[in-house]
Amino acid sequence: MEVGQMQRRLLEYTKSLFMEGVLDNQFLQLQQLQDESNPDFVAEVVSLFFADSERLLNDLTRAIDQPTIDFKMVDSHVHQLKGSSSSIGAERIKNACVAFRNFCEEQNIEGCMSCLQQVKQEYCLVKNKLETLFRMEQQIVAAGGSIPMMELSF
């Protein structure tokens, strides 16, 4: 496949992530911080997000599995996950965390358990989609092309 075609596919794929609500404008702002001096900036930030999120999801799972749930601790973990997902533009994770925090405030065990599953699903979706995005970018660079910048014109 020629570079121009790969670049168009990447832009269409990226646009679909915004249209589906997977990502928001914060991700574009993150991309704008990337330049020639730090070409892997976004991938590195997202990789740190993945590692931190997996730790938080494991902590949340353990906390909710306790006989007596410490809702303040659960809320603290959800708050951290909401903040980090917001900082990379992972809109659907952030939105799921908002609902999760409401259930923590109500001390609603069933609601928390349901939200934990939703947050895990949204996390897996975002991780798979972003890994695909980064693979597409790597293929373009390997073929000698440059990564086209996404513009919010849709």
Side-chain angles (χ1 to χ4, degrees):
M1 186 183 312
E2 59 109 355
V3 172
Q5 191 176 11
M6 288 192 292
Q7 290 170 324
R8 283 188 297 279
R9 276 187 51 224
L10 175 65
L11 286 174
E12 284 182 24
Y13 183 76
T14 305
K15 182 178 177 180
S16 75
L17 298 180
F18 288 90
M19 300 299 285
E20 295 168 12
V22 175
L23 298 176
D24 64 20
N25 293 347
Q26 185 62 36
F27 187 77
L28 292 178
Q29 292 177 7
L30 196 61
Q31 284 182 317
Q32 290 173 350
L33 296 174
Q34 184 166 290
D35 58 22
E36 296 82 31
S37 66
N38 197 354
D40 297 325
F41 177 74
V42 175
E44 289 171 5
V45 169
V46 170
S47 178
L48 291 171
F49 166 74
F50 289 157
D52 191 47
S53 296
E54 288 181 20
R55 177 188 57 78
L56 285 168
L57 288 170
N58 287 334
D59 289 349
L60 280 166
T61 301
R62 275 193 298 280
I64 287 181
D65 283 344
Q66 296 301 311
T68 304
I69 296 175
D70 180 346
F71 286 99
K72 284 191 190 315
M73 184 177 66
V74 171
D75 184 60
S76 175
H77 291 320
V78 176
H79 182 70
Q80 287 176 46
L81 183 58
K82 178 180 169 255
S84 60
S85 60
S86 182
S87 72
I88 69 151
E91 185 173 20
R92 286 168 60 157
I93 297 173
K94 177 188 74 177
N95 291 342
C97 287
V98 169
F100 200 156
R101 292 195 72 199
N102 290 335
F103 285 121
C104 285
E105 192 175 303
E106 297 168 5
Q107 298 193 358
N108 181 325
I109 296 169
E110 291 79 22
C112 286
M113 292 172 75
S114 175
C115 280
L116 177 59
Q117 292 311 309
Q118 183 179 358
V119 167
K120 285 180 177 182
Q121 288 174 348
E122 296 297 348
Y123 170 75
C124 288
L125 175 78
V126 168
K127 186 172 185 192
N128 289 334
K129 299 265 187 187
L130 288 176
E131 286 173 344
T132 298
L133 179 83
F134 295 142
R135 258 192 318 278
M136 292 171 82
E137 288 180 350
Q138 290 169 347
Q139 290 170 350
I140 291 170
V141 170
S146 61
I147 307 301
M149 284 305 292
M150 180 81 194
E151 294 177 20
L152 271 184
S153 59
F154 49 89

